[in-house]
Every structure is written in structure tokens, then in C-alpha cells.
Amino acid sequence: MGLSNPSLTTLRDGRQLSYHLSGPDQSASTKGPIILLSNSLCTPYHMWHHFVPRLHELNFQVLQYNQIGHGESTVDPSTVDDTTFDTLADDVKQLLDSLKIQKLHAWVGISMGAATGIVFCAQNPGLVERLVICDTISCSPSALGAGDPFGPRVDAARSAGNLEATIEQTLARWFWEDWRKSHGEELHWMRSLMSKTKVEGFVACCAALRKMSFDLRPLFGKLGTSVDEILLVVGELDADLPQTMAIMRDGIQQGFEAAGKTDEVRLAIIKGAGHVSVVDGLEEYASVVTSFLTK
């Protein structure tokens, strides 16, 4: 499982965002449409390692990037608490502008990468044709009046000065015990990828997830006029997210209908998969998502 070397772009505030643009023939005068992949918390873009070749086989270009403080993307420790989904989406807009990309065939995001995609599409109508929303919550727990699960994790990571314990706890939440026992090599691969995340990068992204302003629900209606088609995907074993995303699907469907669209917004449930369904549910995930991207 080799690691591709990233490129870097410098953002307005001086931070660097790492990314990788790949395709079956990057030298061709006519290149395929672009799919952007957006990652879950604590993972760099290499988490899509097994999925990217499937997109290349379909003649798609693939743009991957690392959010603030993940992989080779840098972070300003003095501003980590200011991170929001608006700033995360703006980072991507700056990346696309630097690459002179004016249209994406699709944004495919998992977890916070899916939430970023919803914000991005609402802010940039018409730039993304298709949106794939995978395994994400619709708002911060605080917006629901619930407890804050991210605060203790941030405090623990800052106190330890590393993410070792955080990573082990995260892997246990993301992947069920039977899968972890039978996929030791893949689990080691994920652990090694996540270990490259900077503590302050983790803190920054948790800041976005914790804010009261993180509430995607008011944006559902805007998606009907922002993108052409939407697919929702969730792991069958991803806690209560199948139910949460069914409600999300209904809200987005209403936005489509209000915009005069007759397309059904589909929710696909990946059997036996947890929170990062492109990893432990790869075959079904790839089949469902590529069918949507090529229909």
C-alpha cells in the first residue's frame, strides 16, 4: 500500500493545503471529469486508497486533499478554535481556484468530509454536479442539546500531546470487533495513516464539529438548486446514523421537490459496514457509488 506524494497549495492565511490530482492519463489533452474525495476526521486522503483505482478505471480524474492539520496540510495553532465548516469549505474553494477547476462531476465525502461537501455545495451552487453524502451527522451534538463527545477527546489529546489513545478509541468505534480481528493488515494501515494527523489538526476539526453553527439542516432545501443529483450512503452498523441519515434524506428530498426536481434522493445502506464504509464495506460501497457516478 504505497503512499502517493502530495502537492501543496498556499492558502490566503499562509497555511498549506496538501492534495493529489490523479487520473488514468494526466498527460492527455482531453481528461476525464473530476471526482473530489473528502476525508473523515483524523484520516489523510490515503484512506481512499482502494477506491481510487475504481474511479480511474472509469476514466475519472480524482482530486484528493487533506483538511487542516491532516497529512501534510499545515495548521496555525493560534487559530484552531476558529475553524468552522465554512472555513473548511473555503479551503477547498481556494484549492479549486488555484487549480483553475470550475466544475466537479462529483463530491464524495465521508463523515466530516460529507458535511463539508454539503456546506460547499450550498455556498457554490452549480460547481458540483453530483454529491455523495456518506456516514455523517446533520449537526453538532450541542445543537441538539446533547452532550459534547468531542470535548473530552480534545482535552485528552492535548493533555497527552499525541493522538495514540484517540486513534485506538476511534478505530474501535469505526470498525466492529470481528472485522478488526479478521483484517489486521488493513487495521494497521488505517492506524499508520491516522498517526500522521497533527494534534492541532484534530483539535481544529473538532472545533468545527462542536460549534453551535454546525447545523446542516437549514441547508437541505438549498441543495435542490445547488446540485443535480444526490446519493446518501451509510454503514449498516454505524451506530444510529442509518436512522439519522434517513431523516436527512427526507429533508433533502423535500428540497429537491421544492426546486421542481423529480429525481429520487436515494439512501444506500452498506451491509456489515461501520463508520468508514469505503473501508470495511469496500465492494458494495464501490458498486453503489460508481453506479451513481456513471448513470
Side-chain angles (χ1 to χ4, degrees), residues 11-73:
L11 304 176
R12 285 190 299 268
D13 62 5
R15 288 183 295 113
Q16 290 191 310
L17 197 74
S18 58
Y19 68 93
H20 185 62
L21 180 61
S22 61
D25 186 359
Q26 285 295 293
S27 64
S29 58
T30 302
K31 298 175 181 177
I34 301 172
I35 308 292
L36 181 142
L37 303 178
S38 190
N39 319 327
S40 55
L41 176 65
C42 213
T43 59
Y45 64 67
H46 301 95
M47 64 166 283
W48 301 95
H49 177 80
H50 295 303
F51 183 55
V52 170
R54 318 245 178 152
L55 297 176
H56 288 167
E57 289 171 1
L58 297 169
N59 199 41
F60 288 119
Q61 292 186 81
V62 180
L63 177 59
Q64 302 165 263
Y65 76 99
N66 290 322
Q67 57 258 47
I68 180 172
H70 287 59
E72 294 78 10
S73 291

Side-chain angles (χ1 to χ4, degrees), residues 9-187:
T9 190
T10 301
L11 304 176
R12 285 190 299 268
D13 62 5
R15 288 183 295 113
Q16 290 191 310
L17 197 74
S18 58
Y19 68 93
H20 185 62
L21 180 61
S22 61
D25 186 359
Q26 285 295 293
S27 64
S29 58
T30 302
K31 298 175 181 177
I34 301 172
I35 308 292
L36 181 142
L37 303 178
S38 190
N39 319 327
S40 55
L41 176 65
C42 213
T43 59
Y45 64 67
H46 301 95
M47 64 166 283
W48 301 95
H49 177 80
H50 295 303
F51 183 55
V52 170
R54 318 245 178 152
L55 297 176
H56 288 167
E57 289 171 1
L58 297 169
N59 199 41
F60 288 119
Q61 292 186 81
V62 180
L63 177 59
Q64 302 165 263
Y65 76 99
N66 290 322
Q67 57 258 47
I68 180 172
H70 287 59
E72 294 78 10
S73 291
T74 60
V75 58
D76 179 351
S78 68
T79 62
V80 293
D81 293 328
D82 299 329
T83 306
T84 66
F85 277 97
D86 286 339
T87 66
L88 293 171
D90 186 61
D91 285 353
V92 179
K93 184 61 168 63
Q94 291 183 62
L95 171 62
L96 296 182
D97 288 346
S98 73
L99 297 174
K100 296 181 170 54
I101 294 173
Q102 299 178 342
K103 178 72 72 173
L104 293 173
H105 180 70
W107 178 304
V108 181
I110 283 188
S111 194
M112 69 174 297
T116 305
I118 292 173
V119 173
F120 182 91
C121 290
Q123 292 178 346
N124 300 278
L127 200 157
V128 179
E129 295 177 354
R130 305 183 187 195
L131 175 61
V132 183
I133 303 168
C134 310
D135 298 274
T136 192
I137 55 178
S138 58
C139 62
S140 69
S142 299
L144 293 175
D148 175 16
F150 300 105
R153 298 172 198 171
V154 166
D155 292 341
R158 278 178 158 161
S159 177
N162 62 67
L163 293 175
E164 291 181 9
T166 298
I167 290 169
E168 293 307 314
Q169 294 164 6
T170 300
L171 290 171
R173 284 194 304 272
W174 284 2
F175 304 112
W176 290 89
E177 184 177 3
D178 288 348
W179 187 90
R180 298 199 307 272
K181 287 181 177 178
S182 60
H183 292 78
E185 182 179 354
E186 192 75 13
L187 193 69

